[in-house]
Amino acid sequence: MALLLSALLALVLLWSGGLRAGETEPTLALSPPALVLKGIPFEVTVAGSPAQPLWLVLDGRRHALAFDDGEAVVEGLVTGADHVALTLVDATGRVLAEVDSPAIAGWLSVLPALLAILLALVFRQVILALFVAICVGGWLGYGLAGEQLLTSVLDSVNVHVLAAASDSEHMSVVLFCLLIGGMVGIISRNGGTVGIARHITRFVRGRRSAQTTTGLLGTAIFFDDYANALIVGNTMRNITDKLRISREKLAYLVDSTAAPVSAILLVTTWIGFQVGLIDEAIRQIDGFEGSAYGVFLAAISYSFYPILALLFVFMISLSGRDFGPMLKAEIRAVQQRGEPDEALTDREAIAEEASIDAKPGIPHRALNAIIPMTVLVLTTLGGIWYTGMSELGFPAGASLRDVFGNGDSFTAMMWGSLLSTLVALVMTRAQGLLSMDETAHYWFEGVKSMLLPITILMMAWALSSVNEALNTSDYLVSVLSDSLSPELIPVSVFLLSAFTAFATGSSWGVMGIMMPLVVPLAWAVLQHHGLAGDPAAMHLFYAAVAAVLAGAVWGDHCSPLAETTLLAAMASGCGLVEHVRTQLPYALFVGVISTLCAVLPVAYGLPWWLGLAISAGIMALGLRLLGRRAEAAEQETDMPARAEADAR
C-alpha cells in the first residue's frame, strides 16, 4: 500500500510540474502569407513574448527574430521552391511551430486579370469573363492543387463575391446606384426628363453643342466621379439620342470627364485620399521639408493625362470629328436617325428594355427632374461638407479644401440619393401625375435597370480582391521597378501605374499601393544622384507623385474592369464592351501623346506648361488628320448607293 501511495504521489508531482511548465511556455503565433510568389520578397510575422532567442527557418536558412511589443517581423524572405515550409525553432533546435504556404511563379499572378480582359473583349460576355477569372485566381491561391479546383469554383461566390458585398463602402455605392435608378425611373415616367430635354434642346443647336454641353456638365459635377457618371449619363441620354449621338460617344464624354475632374480639382472626394497617401509616404523620408497638401498641389501641374483627357473631350465635341470605332458608332447613329440597332447585344437590349417613357397625357415639366437632381447635388455636397467638418472637429478656420478632402463621400451620396428620391415621389404625387401604385412600380423599374451593372460591379470588386491576394501589384512592381535614372522615374511610374490599373480595374487601389512605394523611391534615387532638395530637380519628385495619379486614371479609362468605366456605360445605356472598344483608341491616343510629349520631355527639363501646350497642339493636329465628321462620312457612304439609284 505504501508503494502504491508513493507512486500516486510521484504522478501528481510530475503532472503538476508539467502543468506549471506548460503555463509558463509562451504562446507563439506564426503568420505567413497565404500565397508566396517565387522570387518575390515576402514577410512573416511572429506574435508572442518568448523568454529565449528564436529563429525562423526557411529553405535551411535561419533568420533571428527580434521581438518588439510582442511581435517580430522578418522581411525580405525569398524562395524558389514550389512549396514554402516555415519552421520556428529555439536555441536547442526544438521545433515550436510549423506552417506551410503554397508558392507559384510570379507571372501567374497577372493571369486572372489578363484572362478577364481577354475574355471580355473577345466574347463580350463580361460576367462570364469575370467569373472565370475569379475561379482561376482562387485556384492559383491554392497553389494550383488539383483537388482544390472544385473548391475554387465554389469560393468564387461564397468567398470572393461575398467579401465584396460585405464591404460597407461597396454597399454604399450599390445603394446609391439603386436609389439613383429608382429616382430616374420616377422622373422619367412623370415627364421630368422629357421636360429637361425639351428645354435644353432649345439651346442645343446640333450634335456639337450637345456634346459640348455634356462635357461642361461633366466638368461642373466635379465633386465625385461616381455621382458625375450617373447624373450626367442619365440626364443627357435622351437629349443625345434625339440628336443622333451614339450611346458610345455619350459614355466616352461621361467617362472622360468623371475621374479626371475629380482627380485634379482642389475640392473633391479624391483629395483626402491622395493627400493621406502622400503624407504617409513622406514620413518615411528623413529631412523632407514640406506638407503633403503642398506636394499634391505642386504635382497637379504634372498630371498630364487627366488634363489632356479633359481637353481632348472638348476638342472632339467642338470639332465634331471622330476616328476609329467611335466614328463607325457615330455613323451608325446618324444613319439610324435615333432608332435602336437591329442587332443589339444582350447588354444593350437590357438597357433598351429598361428605358422608361413619359406617361401619355400629362404635362412635361422640367422642374420635376431639375428639383430632384438639384436636391441630389446639394445634399451630396452638403453631406461631404458636414462629414468633413465632423472629421476635423468643426474648426472655425477650416478651409474648404480640407473639409471636402476629409468628407465621407459614400455617406453623402446615400443621403443625396435618398432625399432626391423622396422629393421626386412627393412632387409626383402632389401634382397627381402618377398614382401611388404607378410611382412605386416605376421606381422599381428604375431599380431593376441597375441590377445587371451592379452584378458586374460586384464581380469586378471580387476580382480586385483576388488580385490583391495573389500579390499582383507586388509582382508588377518588382519586375518594373529596377534602378532607374532620375529622368526615367516619372515615365516608368506612369506606365507601371497605368498597366496595374488596367489589369486590376482599380485606380484608387493602384494609388494606395504605388504611392507609398514611389515617393520614397523617387527621393532615394534623387539622393543617390545628389539631387535631393535641389530646387532645380524637385520637378522630378513632383512628376513622380503625379505619375501615380495620372497613370491610375489612364489605366482606369482603358480597362473594362474599372468601376467608373462600368458606371459611365451603365448611365449612358451603352454596352460595357462597346464603351471600352470605342473609348480605348482615344485613351491610348491621349496617353501616348502625354507620355512622349509631356512626361518624358518635362523630366529632362522642358517646362510643364510648354509640355502641355505641345501635347495639346499635337492632339489637335492628329484629330484634324485622323478624324472625320459622322455626317460627312455617312453621306460619302451613301454616295455609291445613290449613284446606282440614279443610274437606274
Side-chain angles (χ1 to χ4, degrees), residues 76-151:
L77 297 174
V78 180
T79 185
D82 294 331
H83 201 75
V84 179
L86 296 167
T87 306
L88 191 65
V89 300
D90 60 13
T92 65
R94 181 167 61 103
V95 176
L96 303 178
E98 291 181 297
V99 293
D100 294 330
S101 293
I104 61 173
W107 65 269
L108 288 174
S109 65
V110 189
L111 183 61
L114 295 179
L115 187 62
I117 294 167
L118 180 64
L119 293 177
L121 293 175
V122 172
F123 295 104
R124 300 189 179 185
Q125 294 292 334
V126 179
I127 292 180
L128 176 62
L130 291 171
F131 176 75
V132 172
I134 293 169
C135 292
V136 171
W139 192 31
L140 287 169
Y142 286 114
L144 296 176
E147 65 273 13
Q148 298 293 348
L149 179 58
L150 178 59
T151 304

Side-chain angles (χ1 to χ4, degrees), residues 200-201 203-217 236 239-240 242-246 249-250 252-253 312-322 330 334 623-624 627-633 635:
I200 293 181
T201 51
F203 305 98
V204 175
R205 301 303 179 187
R207 291 166 46 84
R208 296 189 202 179
S209 58
Q211 295 177 54
T212 305
T213 301
T214 303
L216 291 173
L217 184 59
M236 296 300 298
I239 300 170
T240 53
K242 182 177 180 180
L243 294 171
R244 296 179 292 161
I245 297 171
S246 66
K249 172 61 77 63
L250 176 60
Y252 162 72
L253 297 174
F312 195 62
V313 163
F314 291 101
M315 287 183 180
I316 290 285
S317 301
L318 292 171
S319 68
R321 294 177 178 271
D322 292 286
E330 286 291 275
V334 170
L623 181 60
R624 177 73 179 179
R628 299 168 65 193
R629 294 186 177 89
E631 301 91 332
Q635 292 175 1

